[in-house]
Amino acid sequence: MGYQPIENYGIIGNMYTTALVGLNGSIDWFCFPRHDSPSVFAALLDYNKGGHFQITPDIDGATHKQFYWPETNILVTRFLAACGVGEIIDFMPVGKSVQEHGYHWLIRQVRGIRCSMSFRLECYPAFNYARDAHQTILTSSGACFLSPKLSLGLVTDIPLKQDDRGVFAEFTLQTDQTAVFVLRELKSDSDCGLPLQRVEAIELFEGTAHYWRQWLSKCIYKGRWRETVERSALVLKLLTYEPTGAIIAAPTCGLPEEIGGDRNWDYRYTWIRDAAFTLYGLLRIGFTAEAAQFMGWIEARCHELDPAGTLQTVYGINGCHDLSEEILEHLEGYQGSAPVRIGNGAYKQLQLDIYGELMDSVYLFNKYGTQISYDLWTHLRRLLDWVCDNWQRPDEGIWETRDGRKNFVYSKLMCWVAMDRGLRLADKRSFPGERERWLKVRDRIYEQVMSKGWSDERQAFIQHYESHSLDASSLIMPLVFFMAPNDPRMLKTLAAIQRSPQQGGLVSNSLVYRYNLENSSDGLSGGEGTFNLCTFWLVEALTRAGRVDPVKLDQARLMFEEMLSYANHLGLYAEETGASGEALGNFPQALTHLALISAAWNLNQAIGEAD
């Protein structure tokens, strides 16, 4: 059947790993046992070699529908045809201990809904990004897949047949009949375990549904777009790595920002930059426990400063430092979009903005969560002194450019945020610190951004001191209280960004490009789509300006509603949106859903005030 559109997928998971399930009933991306483990199924990156676990109607012309069981991360894929209706319920049990049934299981329940429906199953694993061969052994209770580093069992009472890639089956279900398939790790080379009885499958399903509903009941957001915000929260929970509290940027690697292009990165790691957005988003809607756990991950990184006293830009979910980048030459990439990269070379880059996001996240957590410890403050104090000494250096910036360092305005802005939040935190908690020096540096940064970061020619803030190009990251200024949302310079920047790319702006059909590739060199070839994060930033900037200008509030509301229409059928967003509304880049992306939560919260509040 070839590649599915990126937006055709739903996601399931257990806070250790996730799987992407297509509308066609195929699991085309699954890493095990962790988010950043090598893939078992990767048809998303190479349809022929990558491997998949597909269950689909064995008929032509069936209509495919997909939805989540209400208030859960249990995914239902339904097939409708004149001869009958059937469905697959996909989920991973959660809240299980190592000894319990369901721990690290992937369960697929196939059900007959009306009349009869015939299905074809194909389970074709391709271990270690399709680099490791495996042996398939049929058993009385399913099949065992044995590879050098990982062995999995497919447990079922449906008879399986073997071919050179794995196993397949053809079966027919009548109304109310059920077939259950469990994929799990093997503890021995030849024991798949007993097939799951229907009663036990129902218990695992009900337990999983209860877990998600109990968790979601903590959400305090009750405003407009409640279901959208709740789905974003559920996605963020899936992207959590439970043992450490880290939240990955996205569960995939190698999905292109342009079909056929080479802007293909591995997002299965945790960026320091995401910290402030994560803490703000989680605390805003009531998930204080998750915010505290993520804060614990951040604090652990602050105890691991390098000899120069600095942080990395990005870390592994367990805190590992080495994320060396590697190209998987044997995979063709999504729709031929090579290279496929694993690891992320950005961990070696200098990105000064991370210190602003870090200090903002700590400040928010101290204010709305739990007060931070003195020991953490000693590490933060050291980082603030480092920022004082290094803020004037050029860097690679928020967009992780690969054509040399520049004096990015966003990086300077976030250095100001670092000093500002450090001063506020020191005063609020009466912590010791070099206040006089910090205050002088904060003010110097502000004055430099206003003088060198502003273009009289463009009448807008620019990307970096050496350019005249716009950058959507300027939209963050009122969000971090660097500038009033109605300051004339901010309003002029908003007006400049809102023009079309043909007119020198960044907005096309209410969607925002992060910068104009024709005017801004980033060291990479090819193009990209509009950046969903930046669109939500524009919504929020307009919302804040709209508190005194009703026209801008109306613009924000319309743009937000338009942006919601670009989500997929399940309310999920990739990193980018293409010219035809297609999803581009890694999927689903945490930062986009965090920005959605923030925009929805503030827009809902502003509309309430206006009413």
Side-chain angles (χ1 to χ4, degrees):
M1 295 178 66
Y3 291 95
Q4 292 279 295
I6 294 171
E7 63 269 21
N8 271 23
Y9 289 91
I11 184 172
I12 60 171
N14 59 5
M15 285 84 74
Y16 284 83
T17 189
T18 59
L20 295 189
V21 186
L23 271 167
N24 63 346
S26 184
I27 295 177
D28 291 339
W29 181 253
F30 177 56
C31 298
F32 187 86
R34 305 190 329 182
H35 297 293
D36 57 355
S37 297
S39 64
V40 176
F41 304 120
L44 199 59
L45 298 178
D46 193 310
Y47 180 75
N48 294 311
K49 298 178 186 174
H52 62 258
F53 183 5
Q54 181 168 323
I55 303 173
T56 193
D58 198 12
I59 54 174
D60 294 327
T63 300
H64 299 202
K65 301 288 184 180
Q66 204 172 52
F67 60 94
Y68 281 107
W69 203 265
E71 301 177 325
T72 76
N73 279 313
I74 298 172
L75 186 64
V76 181
T77 305
R78 183 165 285 190
F79 310 106
L80 303 96
C83 63
V85 175
E87 68 182 19
I88 309 169
I89 300 177
D90 287 309
F91 66 99
M92 297 185 198
V94 286
K96 298 292 183 181
S97 65
V98 178
Q99 296 80 18
E100 289 183 286
H101 271 206
Y103 180 76
H104 285 193
W105 288 6
L106 190 161
I107 298 177
R108 313 199 74 183
Q109 295 184 31
V110 189
R111 303 191 340 183
I113 304 300
R114 178 177 62 81
C115 298
S116 69
M117 181 166 280
S118 297
F119 294 88
R120 178 177 171 85
L121 173 147
E122 294 177 350
C123 187
Y124 293 159
F127 293 92
N128 190 18
Y129 306 108
R131 292 184 293 192
D132 291 352
H134 69 272
Q135 179 185 7
T136 302
I137 301 174
L138 290 179
T139 73
S140 59
S141 57
C144 301
F145 307 108
L146 313 179
S147 77
K149 298 175 183 176
L150 177 66
S151 295
L152 297 177
L154 178 63
V155 185
T156 182
D157 56 7
I158 297 292
L160 302 175
K161 298 178 181 179
Q162 183 176 345
D163 60 18
D164 58 349
R165 297 185 63 187
V167 297
F168 67 94
E170 295 173 346
F171 58 97
T172 300
L173 297 179
Q174 306 296 327
T175 303
D176 292 332
Q177 286 187 324
T178 300
V180 180
F181 302 89
V182 177
L183 189 69
R184 64 181 184 85
E185 187 172 7
L186 292 180
K187 300 304 180 184
S188 64
D189 289 346
S190 59
D191 180 20
C192 287
L194 296 174
L196 198 62
Q197 298 299 313
R198 181 171 181 175
V199 173
E200 188 176 9
I202 292 172
E203 289 176 353
L204 288 170
F205 169 85
E206 291 178 345
T208 303
H210 177 75
Y211 173 94
W212 288 119
R213 286 173 172 165
Q214 284 293 106
W215 181 81
L216 194 60
S217 68
K218 301 173 187 175
C219 182
I220 62 174
Y221 183 84
K222 308 299 179 187
R224 302 166 181 84
W225 315 292
R226 178 178 172 180
E227 288 187 6
T228 300
V229 169
E230 289 181 344
R231 178 50 54 194
S232 290
L234 285 162
V235 170
L236 292 171
K237 185 64 171 173
L238 280 183
L239 301 185
T240 302
Y241 182 56
E242 191 171 72
T244 65
I247 297 178
I248 56 173
T252 56
C253 67
L255 291 181
E257 298 175 16
E258 178 187 47
I259 301 301
D262 64 355
R263 297 169 181 260
N264 318 318
W265 315 108
D266 190 348
Y267 277 15
R268 297 171 299 158
Y269 308 112
T270 303
W271 271 254
I272 293 293
R273 175 177 300 109
D274 297 359
F277 305 108
T278 301
L279 267 295
Y280 180 83
L282 292 174
L283 289 170
R284 267 297 186 202
I285 58 176
F287 293 108
T288 53
E290 284 70 22
Q293 196 179 16
F294 186 57
M295 191 67 216
W297 183 89
I298 293 173
E299 183 169 356
R301 305 293 77 74
C302 289
H303 285 270
E304 301 169 352
L305 302 182
D306 66 19
T310 61
L311 288 164
Q312 284 186 187
T313 300
V314 55
Y315 295 86
I317 54 178
N318 62 348
C320 71
H321 291 233
D322 185 0
L323 304 179
S324 297
E325 204 165 273
E326 178 184 356
I327 292 177
L328 301 179
E329 301 279 4
H330 64 290
L331 297 180
E332 71 172 18
Y334 177 80
Q335 292 192 23
S337 304
V340 173
R341 297 179 178 91
I342 56 173
N344 199 303
Y347 82 99
K348 295 180 179 179
Q349 288 188 345
L350 175 66
Q351 297 177 22
L352 293 171
D353 66 283
I354 66 172
Y355 300 100
E357 285 109 359
L358 172 71
M359 289 305 304
D360 198 28
S361 68
V362 175
Y363 175 77
L364 289 169
F365 187 71
N366 185 81
K367 184 176 181 179
Y368 298 109
T370 304
Q371 291 187 332
I372 68 166
S373 67
Y374 171 74
D375 288 338
L376 175 56
W377 172 251
T378 61
H379 296 292
L380 298 174
R381 181 179 176 181
R382 185 181 175 193
L383 287 172
L384 289 167
D385 289 336
W386 186 90
V387 173
C388 287
D389 294 332
N390 292 274
W391 69 271
Q392 298 192 64
R393 295 169 62 185
D395 69 342
E396 278 88 2
I398 179 176
W399 306 129
E400 301 179 344
T401 58
R402 301 201 175 196
D403 68 335
R405 296 176 177 178
K406 299 180 178 69
N407 287 294
F408 287 102
V409 172
Y410 181 85
S411 297
K412 308 305 182 190
L413 162 69
M414 295 310 291
C415 285
W416 176 89
V417 171
M419 305 316 301
D420 180 74
R421 303 309 192 263
L423 284 162
R424 294 190 192 200
L425 194 54
D427 288 343
K428 189 171 184 65
R429 294 291 307 282
S430 300
F431 282 137
E434 291 66 47
R435 285 173 173 76
E436 186 174 345
R437 185 190 186 204
W438 296 349
L439 184 59
K440 287 180 179 178
V441 169
R442 185 192 70 174
D443 292 348
R444 283 179 61 198
I445 298 171
Y446 196 100
E447 290 173 344
Q448 188 181 97
V449 169
M450 297 301 283
S451 61
K452 294 186 177 182
W454 173 262
S455 169
D456 288 327
E457 177 186 338
R458 296 300 303 268
Q459 285 293 289
F461 288 103
I462 50 177
Q463 185 179 55
H464 56 83
Y465 295 169
E466 301 85 0
S467 79
H468 292 284
S469 300
L470 299 177
D471 193 301
S473 62
S474 300
L475 295 167
I476 205 76
M477 288 181 172
L479 280 61
V480 297
F481 304 107
F482 177 83
M483 176 171 286
N486 300 99
D487 186 288
R489 290 196 181 193
M490 195 65 233
L491 293 176
K492 289 176 181 178
T493 301
L494 278 174
I497 287 175
Q498 284 185 273
R499 298 187 186 104
S500 70
Q502 293 75 23
Q503 298 174 315
L506 299 177
V507 176
S508 176
N509 192 29
S510 295
L511 300 173
V512 183
Y513 290 94
R514 51 182 179 171
Y515 47 83
N516 191 324
L517 284 170
E518 294 182 3
N519 302 326
S520 304
S521 171
D522 59 12
L524 298 164
S525 61
E528 62 181 24
T530 55
F531 223 71
N532 294 330
L533 166 69
C534 297
T535 303
F536 286 121
W537 278 354
L538 179 54
V539 169
E540 193 156 353
L542 288 169
T543 297
R544 293 177 187 242
R547 292 182 185 274
V548 295
D549 183 351
V551 173
K552 285 189 167 48
L553 186 59
D554 287 343
Q555 289 177 343
R557 185 169 188 176
L558 178 60
M559 183 173 287
F560 187 76
E561 293 286 0
E562 286 187 83
M563 187 57 189
L564 295 185
S565 74
Y566 288 101
N568 80 345
H569 57 288
L570 298 168
L572 308 180
Y573 289 91
E575 182 177 38
E576 300 181 11
T577 299
S580 301
E582 73 276 18
L584 293 172
N586 286 309
F587 173 88
Q589 196 210 25
L591 208 50
T592 297
H593 286 277
L594 285 163
L596 183 157
I597 290 171
S598 180
W601 178 281
N602 287 288
L603 181 57
N604 181 70
Q605 191 175 51
I607 293 171
E609 292 171 1
D611 292 344

